[in-house]
Amino acid sequence: FLNLNPLALIPILVDGDFILAESLAIIMYLDDKYPQYPLLPHDVPKRALNFQVAHIVLQDNFIEKKVGPHEKLPWAQSVIRKGFTALEKLLKDHAGRYATGDEIFLVLAIHMTML
């Protein structure tokens, strides 16, 4: 696994000889490679909104090495609470059937350390 991603994080995309890590990079790659199955809206403001949501979700999903084993749960709970509060505020005027409208876009895999 470390040969695929030296940072030991998931997700990883292997497409033939091409190896790509990081959720947003994978989404952009797949969206460009398979335009008939869009992962992102073509509407520029909705596309930007989806990237903003992705950034909020991804920015706080790393447990810093400074956090001890007994501090991980309280730290994770505070980060999740902060993230969901921000998302609710951001999406209150955009939500439809789904978070950013009536179509599903931008499914993210949360980064996790494998080691």
Side-chain angles (χ1 to χ4, degrees):
F1 184 77
L2 288 174
N3 290 334
L4 297 176
N5 186 350
L7 291 174
L9 299 174
I10 56 174
I12 298 281
L13 172 74
V14 178
D15 186 13
D17 292 336
F18 183 65
I19 299 169
L20 188 61
E22 304 299 328
S23 293
L24 292 178
I26 291 169
I27 287 167
M28 293 171 71
Y29 174 81
L30 292 173
D31 199 52
D32 288 341
K33 185 166 183 176
Y34 301 102
Q36 67 274 29
Y37 306 107
L39 297 174
L40 296 164
H42 293 289
D43 178 74
V44 174
K46 281 192 179 228
R47 188 177 182 98
L49 177 64
N50 276 263
F51 275 116
Q52 185 177 5
V53 169
H55 181 74
I56 290 171
V57 170
L58 293 176
Q59 74 179 347
D60 291 326
N61 283 319
F62 292 97
I63 298 178
E64 297 178 13
K65 292 182 180 182
K66 296 177 186 176
V67 177
H70 299 294
E71 299 169 284
K72 287 183 181 181
L73 181 60
W75 179 86
Q77 289 171 332
S78 70
V79 167
I80 290 168
R81 190 176 308 108
K82 179 182 172 185
F84 276 119
T85 300
L87 286 174
E88 286 175 2
K89 189 181 248 186
L90 172 66
L91 297 174
K92 69 179 173 68
D93 295 328
H94 297 283
R97 190 166 169 208
Y98 304 103
T100 60
D102 290 326
E103 297 176 273
I104 297 175
F105 290 107
L106 202 59
V107 175
L108 297 173
I110 297 175
H111 294 229
M112 299 175 68
T113 302
M114 295 302 293
L115 296 177

